[in-house]
């Protein structure tokens, strides 16, 4: 049975899907958005709510000087030059207008306070993530041009004789025609162990936290039509997750305040100031895929309960930290040989004193910020840390208009994609706020482009 045709069909109701729906409706086009779960929101609603924008009024209010050009340089550097510069440029060109557009839809941002992973200046703009999705959804529905169906998984794409996409097939075999385009906004595949085993076997033992719908449906639909994939080898977990914590609570980054990371043998294994995604790779290569962040009282006191990754106090209250009056006492509790841990800390402190870390080249607390400090005055703390996979940062190749591309670079007619289902933007690693940022920036572009296609 074919239901009434609309201009644009959207698969998935996370930040990318609702941004696309609002932008398409504003273009104006008629839109049908299908969400597989009883509630839309996806990983977006669970997320830390950090978005990376540059050159905003909130940065200026806090005396932060930033620009799209600086954001471009940082994104390319964090991505190890393996990201598609055209997509990065598109993000940088569109992000400021998207920030204003989100505010226009009622989204509220907190003041910009901290420098985060991969950022040369503070540019994390924080929202209540579930609220942001609700605002986008409400604004889209208020246009009167969007119909929304929850608990209605899209099972496949309809194509014509030329291979162009003409609509979608729902799970109950109902067909919905799209006169202009279909937008895949179905998120990543962190909840699909088979795909994780294929593309990131090194992370199989990590903790996985993502929306239950993150099963790679859009990836499958796109590749069935010959879409190309990119960045598939760059899936990364985030360092700093307690191994027994499967809540959507974020990781803890005591390392960015001066802690060191040691493995179960009591040895440092990485320059702790690099992106917490690269730290994720490093910890997964350690025995038992785990380690500890080691800090003293002075570092502990610099925690910040306004920032989830720096909220040491709450984690202490939750009993997630080990605490020892001396390093020897701490070592006994975490089953590391005491003299090995003491020697590791002594060596590190000597590097802080000389300003040279011959082992791993650490020069700052995080990225190029913050002066290193010694770990010397008890009590001492250890936070067990493995990696958590929040998302899959790779997927369908798209162009700057978000059209899905084949390996030869030709677009699949009538098919667009945005958000975590796409690859190419992050490259080898990810800057804090750039995944949610990518969902709204490219979701908005996808909606506008699909509506005029
Ligand atoms: C705990 C956590 C914290 C995070 N923190 C941050 C952060 O602070 N900053 C940041 O930049 N990134 C963060 N991320 C990553 C970021 O949230 C995601 O990459 C981004 O929100 C993805 O948005 P999306 O719209 O593409 O996908 P999603 O938000 O996952 O939405 C996809 C939607 O599609 C639906 N769907 C899937 N298949 C189908 C189908 N066949 N038919 C219909 N519907 C379907 C899903 O159910 C889901 O609702 C975090 C992720 C998690 C899990």
């Amino acid at each position: 049975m074919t239901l009434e045709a609309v201009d644009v069909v959207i698969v998935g109701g996370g930040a990318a899907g609702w941004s696309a729906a609002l932008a398409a409706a504003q273009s104006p086009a008629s839109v049908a958005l299908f969400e597989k779960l009883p509630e839309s929101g996806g990983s977006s609603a669970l997320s830390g709510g950090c978005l990376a924008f540059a050159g905003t009024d909130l940065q200026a209010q806090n005396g932060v000087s930033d620009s799209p050009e600086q954001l471009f340089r940082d994104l390319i550097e964090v991505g190890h030059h393996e990201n598609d510069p055209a997509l990065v440029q598109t993000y940088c060109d569109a992000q400021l207008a998207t920030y204003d557009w989100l505010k226009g839809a009622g989204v509220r941002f907190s003041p910009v306070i901290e420098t985060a992973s991969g950022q040369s200046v503070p540019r994390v703009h924080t929202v209540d993530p579930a609220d942001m999705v609700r605002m986008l959804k409400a604004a889209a529905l208020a246009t009167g041009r969007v119909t929304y169906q929850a608990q209605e998984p899209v099972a496949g794409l309809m194509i014509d004789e030329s291979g162009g996409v003409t609509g979608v097939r729902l799970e109950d075999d109902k067909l919905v025609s799209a006169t202009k385009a279909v937008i895949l906004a179905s998120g990543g595949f962190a909840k699909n162990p088979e795909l994780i085993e294929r593309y990131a076997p090194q992370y199989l033992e990590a903790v996985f936290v993502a929306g239950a719908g993150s099963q790679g449906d859009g990836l499958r639909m796109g590749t069935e039509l010959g879409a190309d994939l990119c960045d598939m080898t760059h899936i990364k977990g985030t360092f700093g997750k307690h191994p027994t914590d499967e809540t959507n609570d974020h990781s803890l980054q005591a390392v960015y305040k001066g802690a060191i990371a040691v493995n179960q043998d009591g040895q440092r294994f990485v320059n702790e100031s690099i992106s917490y995604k690269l730290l994720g790779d490093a910890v997964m290569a350690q025995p038992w895929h785990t380690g500890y962040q080691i800090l003293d009282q002075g570092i502990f006191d610099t925690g910040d309960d306004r920032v989830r990754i720096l909220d040491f106090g709450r984690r202490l209250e939750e009993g997630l930290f080990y605490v020892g009056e001396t390093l020897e006492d701490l070592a006994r509790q975490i089953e590391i040989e005491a003299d090995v841990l003491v020697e590791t800390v002594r060596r590190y402190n000597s590097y802080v004193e000389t300003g040279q870390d011959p082992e791993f080249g650490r020069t700052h607390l995080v990225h190029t910020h913050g002066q290193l400090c010694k770990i010397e005055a008890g009590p001492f703390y250890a936070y067990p840390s493995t990696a958590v996979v929040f998302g899959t940062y790779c997927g369908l190749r798209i162009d700057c208009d978000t059209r899905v591309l084949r390996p030869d670079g030709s677009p699949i007619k009538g098919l667009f994609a945005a958000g975590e289902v796409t690859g190419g933007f992050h490259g080898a690693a990810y800057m804090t706020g750039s995944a949610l940022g990518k969902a709204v920036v490219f979701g908005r572009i996808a909606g506008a482009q699909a509506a005029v296609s």
Side-chain angles (χ1 to χ4, degrees), residues 164-186:
V165 174
T166 58
V168 298
R169 182 168 46 79
L170 303 178
E171 276 215 332
D172 48 14
D173 274 343
K174 276 189 251 156
L175 304 176
V176 183
S177 296
T179 56
K180 291 180 185 286
V182 171
I183 301 173
L184 297 173
S186 50

Side-chain angles (χ1 to χ4, degrees), residues 212-278:
S214 300
Q215 286 162 346
D217 296 5
L219 199 78
R220 173 184 55 75
M221 289 180 224
T223 50
E224 278 172 2
L225 298 192
D228 195 13
L229 298 177
C230 45
D231 292 348
M232 302 307 287
T233 55
H234 294 317
I235 294 172
K236 289 198 169 23
T238 299
F239 174 70
K241 186 76 169 170
H242 195 290
T244 61
D245 173 18
E246 295 197 345
T247 67
N248 71 337
D249 199 3
H250 212 283
S251 58
L252 190 83
Q253 303 301 335
V255 283
Y256 290 167
K257 288 290 188 178
I260 56 170
V262 301
N263 61 20
Q264 196 65 55
D265 298 329
Q267 303 293 346
R268 283 176 72 214
F269 53 89
V270 71
N271 170 353
E272 295 89 346
S273 70
I274 61 176
S275 157
Y276 50 42
K277 296 288 176 191
L278 298 174

Side-chain angles (χ1 to χ4, degrees), residues 8 13 15 51 108 126 163 185 193 245 252 289 299 306 318 322 346 402:
V8 178
L51 293 100
R108 287 182 301 276
T126 310
D245 173 18
L252 190 83
H289 319 291
I299 296 170
R306 297 167 301 170
E318 289 169 356
Y322 291 92
R346 189 205 58 77
T402 74

